[in-house]
């Protein structure tokens, strides 16, 4: 017996299922600290989750319950489907079944942690990587130590949601700067276990079943580093995960990948913000994979199929060769746009400078295809300054790349601590709306307050998810210079239908097989939203593995086959 039982809960019921990697990370650290750890995974109990929880708590009395919130919503501007309402229902049921304190965490949770601790009514929260903080919290609970000594912990107290200051080893603290009230844009490397190998299991009772997830979803995640030093205007990761790269030990990461491959989990996808942004570390990891493959023909890494997220730069010939030699099958590159004047204030380094041009995207696609790797190139339309003309230029340039798949998205989900979210809240200043703000459920103009005008982080963060009456109102942004009627732009719930139609018109119908486009109801049976997508659930049901976009060109045939075997409903309009 260990020092006590910690229960970790995955409330995510979206399919195709994505393994709750964070729970493997937390389990590894807690077990190393001599705690017993069990996982209750509701992904495969979507219908009977209440009875499943009741059965568990009838036999167990944990000292702490951790709940991971991977996503607050679909982050898809044309669906705007929140998940936290059903997460709250699950947490409320857990509250009914146990007196153990509850701590929340996860990347989605970390995008608005103060508001979610308050909304869920839970005891504690963790912003950013949780493996060090949850171990310290569990130790405090089992020894009776004041939880106010747990660095970085969010606590729900009689004074509201407060945060224990981070340790002095944080560079911002060392420089004498007081921590910001929301803990935003901090270095969180101290929160990361960089030396250990995360233990990934399959088939063990009350643990994450990685092989089952692979069989149902076709991929396993692998983390090589945490955090991000860049400051792209629409990205939550530098704030939520930390402003400096927490690079994991190369051998530890490859040990983990080898363990997954030995379990039959051969398609593995990097979960870093971008794999190549610390390219020397990425190259070292690839060299270690290649070394092990060459040293032992029987090593399961010889069957590895690697999939990676990248930015257009840095990406050189050596990197492309190493990727191919390591078993990489495809590269998903977030190029976002072709117009340099737009990227200048959008995709930037910590110092605010751009770090790539469209020529870098062209180079990446060329190198990947020359080395036998597929590519998906993504554009993101709707940032400030977007016009029909800039969209047209971007579509033409991206289609000329001849990537395996090209994805076009329109509109941005705003979060409290992205640079764009902060800037728009400051422009609103609590007294005016800003052209381009939109929510499908808005009943009045969307007016945001900057953090300085709010009572604290709870009020500031809540307004990006809820209206003043407490109803869900997910705030999105579309450039007001898009091709829309004035009444659409002036309507806070106005759908950007004409912009979607323009995007479809800009792509030759003969190229639709290799393009992902945003859709509105009735336009098409195909969209690129992940949550409960019929094409994606058909893929997993038919045994396809790897990145879903790698099969996009064959989607018509795949859906027909799924319908023939009774796995998918007809998608005819």
């Amino acid at each position: 017996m260990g020092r006590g039982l910690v229960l970790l809960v995955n409330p995510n019921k979206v399919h195709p299922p994505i393994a709750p990697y964070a729970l493997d990370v937390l389990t590894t650290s807690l077990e190393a600290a001599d705690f017993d750890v069990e996982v209750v995974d509701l992904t495969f109990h979507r219908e009977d989750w209440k009875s499943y929880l009741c059965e568990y708590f009838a036999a167990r009395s944990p000292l702490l319950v951790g709940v991971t919130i991977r996503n607050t919503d679909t982050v898809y501007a044309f669906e705007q489907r929140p998940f936290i309402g059903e997460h709250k229902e699950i947490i409320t049921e857990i509250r009914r079944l146990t007196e153990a304190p509850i701590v929340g965490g996860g990347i989605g949770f970390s995008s608005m942690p103060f508001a979610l601790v308050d909304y869920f009514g839970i005891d504690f929260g963790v912003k950013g990587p949780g493996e060090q903080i949850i171990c310290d919290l569990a130790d405090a609970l089992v020894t009776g130590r004041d939880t106010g000594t747990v660095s970085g912990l969010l606590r729900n107290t009689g004074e509201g949601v407060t945060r224990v200051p981070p340790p002095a080893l944080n560079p911002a603290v060392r420089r004498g700067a007081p921590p910001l009230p929301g803990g935003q844009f901090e270095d969180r490397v101290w929160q990361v276990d960089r030396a250990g190998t995360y233990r990934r299991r399959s088939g063990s009772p009350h643990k994450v079943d990685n092989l089952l997830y692979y069989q149902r979803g076709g991929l396993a995640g692998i983390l090589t580093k945490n955090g991000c030093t860049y400051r792209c205007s629409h990205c939550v990761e530098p704030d939520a995960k930390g402003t400096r790269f927490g690079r994991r030990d190369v051998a530890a990461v490859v040990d983990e990948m080898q363990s997954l491959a030995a379990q039959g989990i051969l398609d593995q996808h990097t979960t870093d913000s971008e794999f190549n942004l610390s390219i020397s570390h990425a190259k070292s990891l690839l060299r270690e994979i290649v070394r092990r493959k060459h040293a032992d023909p029987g090593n399961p890494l010889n069957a590895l199929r690697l999939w990676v997220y990248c930015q257009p730069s840095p990406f050189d010939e050596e990197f492309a060769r190493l990727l191919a030699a390591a078993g990489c099958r495809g590269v998903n590159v977030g190029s976002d746009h072709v117009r340099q004047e737009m990227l200048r204030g959008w995709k930037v380094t910590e110092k605010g400078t751009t770090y790539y041009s469209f020529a870098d995207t062209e180079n990446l696609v060329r190198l990947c295809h020359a080395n036998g790797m597929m590519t998906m190139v993504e554009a993101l339309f709707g940032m400030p300054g977007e016009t029909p003309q800039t969209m047209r230029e971007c579509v033409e340039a991206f289609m000329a790349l001849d990537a395996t798949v090209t994805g076009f998205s329109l509109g941005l989900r705003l979060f409290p601590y992205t640079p764009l979210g902060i800037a728009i809240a400051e422009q609103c200043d609590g007294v005016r709306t800003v052209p381009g703000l939109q929510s499908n459920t808005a009943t009045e103009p969307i007016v945001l307050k900057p953090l300085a005008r709010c009572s604290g982080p709870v009020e500031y963060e809540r307004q990006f998810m809820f209206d003043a009456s407490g109803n869900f109102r997910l705030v999105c942004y579309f450039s007001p210079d898009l091709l829309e009627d004035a009444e659409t732009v002036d309507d806070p719930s106005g759908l950007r239908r004409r912009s979607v139609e323009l995007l479809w018109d800009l792509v030759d119908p003969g190229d639709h097989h290799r393009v992902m486009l945003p859709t509105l109801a009735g336009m098409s049976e195909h969209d690129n939203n992940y949550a409960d997508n019929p094409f994606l659930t058909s893929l997993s049901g038919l045994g396809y593995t790897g990145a879903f976009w790698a099969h996009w060109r064959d989607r018509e045939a795949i859906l027909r086959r799924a319908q023939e075997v009774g796995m998918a409903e007809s998608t005819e309009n």
Side-chain angles (χ1 to χ4, degrees):
M1 291 293 292
R3 303 174 64 200
L5 173 64
V6 177
L7 170 65
L8 303 175
V9 178
N10 178 26
N12 186 4
K13 295 185 282 184
V14 168
H15 280 215
I18 299 174
Y21 189 4
L23 300 192
D24 276 342
V25 176
L26 299 179
T27 296
T28 301
S29 293
L30 284 162
E31 288 180 341
D34 199 27
F35 288 97
D36 298 318
V37 187
E38 292 188 335
V39 171
V40 165
D41 194 340
L42 302 183
T43 298
F44 302 113
H45 292 273
R46 298 208 286 182
E47 304 302 324
D48 67 336
W49 65 268
K50 280 192 176 182
S51 60
Y52 188 62
L53 284 174
C54 286
E55 290 173 9
Y56 178 85
F57 283 105
R60 303 287 202 283
S61 297
L63 70 93
L64 175 66
V65 178
V67 180
T68 182
I69 308 297
R70 184 178 185 272
N71 295 108
T72 58
D73 54 89
T74 54
V75 199
Y76 186 55
F78 285 97
E79 184 182 35
Q80 300 182 25
R81 172 185 166 189
F83 298 138
I84 63 170
E86 64 182 35
H87 292 343
K88 182 173 182 176
E89 184 181 6
I90 290 166
I91 289 170
T92 300
E93 183 67 8
I94 293 172
R95 273 274 192 225
R96 188 181 70 83
L97 296 169
T98 181
E99 296 181 357
I102 299 174
V103 57
I107 180 62
F109 181 91
S110 296
S111 68
M112 48 181 69
F114 286 80
L116 291 181
V117 167
D118 179 72
Y119 173 70
F120 293 141
I122 57 180
D123 306 273
F124 305 110
V126 175
K127 181 169 183 172
E131 53 263 43
Q132 307 293 353
I133 295 176
I134 197 170
C135 288
D136 197 13
L137 173 59
D139 178 80
L141 293 174
V142 81
T143 62
R145 176 164 51 92
D146 183 358
T147 58
T149 63
V150 179
S151 295
L153 182 69
L154 275 67
R155 301 195 302 160
N156 200 347
T157 70
E159 299 175 357
V161 183
T162 61
R163 179 170 175 260
V164 181
L169 56 85
N170 191 315
V173 177
R174 285 205 306 267
R175 291 194 299 266
L180 294 170
Q184 60 266 43
F185 293 104
E186 288 184 353
D187 165 14
R188 306 192 198 284
V189 172
W190 68 272
Q191 298 177 216
V192 180
D193 174 11
R194 291 179 287 161
T197 296
Y198 303 148
R199 188 172 181 186
R200 314 294 293 276
R201 295 176 170 96
S202 296
S204 299
H206 291 303
K207 295 292 190 289
V208 176
D209 191 337
N210 284 284
L211 182 58
L212 178 61
Y213 270 99
Y214 179 57
Q215 292 166 342
R216 301 284 185 90
L219 282 171
I222 192 76
L223 180 72
T224 77
K225 62 184 178 299
N226 230 314
C228 186
T229 63
Y230 289 65
R231 295 292 186 278
C232 300
S233 62
H234 59 295
C235 184
V236 303
E237 298 220 0
D239 171 65
K241 290 188 174 182
T243 57
R244 189 161 64 93
F245 291 128
R247 300 174 186 86
R248 295 182 59 203
D249 178 77
V250 165
V253 176
V254 181
D255 284 346
E256 183 183 342
M257 298 174 75
Q258 186 171 317
S259 169
L260 287 170
Q263 296 171 54
I265 302 169
L266 303 179
D267 293 89
Q268 300 177 27
H269 204 309
T270 57
T271 62
D272 308 20
S273 55
E274 306 291 346
F275 181 54
N276 63 326
L277 289 187
S278 180
I279 196 164
S280 61
H281 181 258
K283 287 181 177 180
S284 295
L285 187 140
L286 294 172
R287 290 190 190 101
E288 177 61 12
I289 295 172
V290 173
R291 185 193 68 77
R292 295 191 191 190
K293 290 172 67 172
H294 289 171
D296 179 10
N299 191 308
L301 287 172
N302 283 284
L304 174 69
R305 295 185 289 266
L306 182 63
W307 307 84
V308 299
Y309 290 121
C310 283
Q311 283 295 306
S313 177
F315 200 104
D316 56 25
E317 291 187 11
E318 180 188 35
F319 188 58
R321 289 196 302 270
L322 284 169
L323 280 169
C328 183
R329 295 299 180 89
V331 175
N332 186 330
V333 56
S335 299
D336 285 359
H337 218 285
V338 64
R339 294 286 290 262
Q340 199 64 24
E341 74 275 14
M342 295 189 67
L343 293 173
R344 191 171 298 121
W346 175 356
K347 298 292 286 292
V348 296
T349 66
E350 183 179 11
K351 296 180 179 179
T353 58
T354 53
Y355 56 97
Y356 69 86
S357 67
F358 187 64
D360 294 308
T361 300
E362 294 175 313
N363 179 63
L364 182 150
V365 172
R366 178 183 61 80
L367 287 174
C368 286
H369 291 185
N371 284 276
M373 295 178 289
M374 293 181 283
T375 53
M376 177 172 175
V377 180
E378 296 189 79
L380 178 56
F381 295 128
M383 289 288 290
E386 191 80 79
T387 67
Q389 181 58 31
T390 62
M391 286 175 59
R392 181 183 301 275
E393 291 181 26
C394 190
V395 169
E396 291 175 354
F398 274 47
M399 295 305 299
L401 288 170
D402 197 27
T404 309
V405 178
T406 302
F408 295 118
S409 297
L410 178 63
L412 301 104
R413 171 77 169 94
L414 292 187
F415 287 92
Y417 302 114
T418 60
L420 183 61
I422 293 170
I424 288 181
E426 290 174 347
Q427 291 172 38
C428 288
D429 201 29
V431 296
R432 66 184 70 86
T433 191
V434 169
L437 288 180
Q438 187 271 349
S439 176
N440 290 350
T441 58
T443 57
E444 58 187 14
I446 299 169
V447 179
L448 302 173
K449 290 182 183 180
L451 179 56
R453 289 178 62 90
C454 292
S455 58
V458 170
E459 181 186 3
Y460 175 69
E461 295 169 8
R462 275 186 63 89
Q463 62 186 337
F464 288 83
M465 178 66 76
F466 302 97
D467 64 18
S469 300
N471 300 311
F472 285 119
R473 185 212 57 194
L474 282 61
V475 179
C476 296
Y477 178 85
F478 298 83
S479 168
D481 300 318
L482 293 171
L483 182 67
E484 297 295 342
D485 299 326
E487 53 266 32
T488 298
V489 177
D490 293 339
D491 181 356
S493 62
L495 291 176
R496 270 51 178 183
R497 180 173 294 275
R498 292 187 64 190
S499 296
V500 176
E501 293 170 346
L502 172 63
L503 255 181
W504 279 79
D505 290 342
L506 291 174
V507 177
D508 189 303
D511 287 324
H512 281 175
H513 68 287
R514 64 184 181 99
V515 178
M516 293 182 182
L517 289 162
T519 60
L520 294 170
M523 285 190 66
S524 170
E525 69 271 26
H526 303 301
D527 67 60
N528 57 359
N529 177 37
Y530 188 91
D532 298 311
N533 184 302
F535 169 62
L536 302 189
T537 54
S538 296
L539 277 179
S540 58
L542 292 171
Y544 287 85
T545 62
F548 80 90
W549 57 263
H551 309 292
W552 185 254
R553 289 188 175 210
D554 301 319
R555 63 191 180 278
E556 300 280 358
I558 290 169
L559 278 170
R560 280 197 302 271
R561 183 182 169 202
Q563 291 161 17
E564 288 168 0
V565 299
M567 290 176 46
E569 296 179 1
S570 172
T571 56
E572 295 180 1
N573 292 329

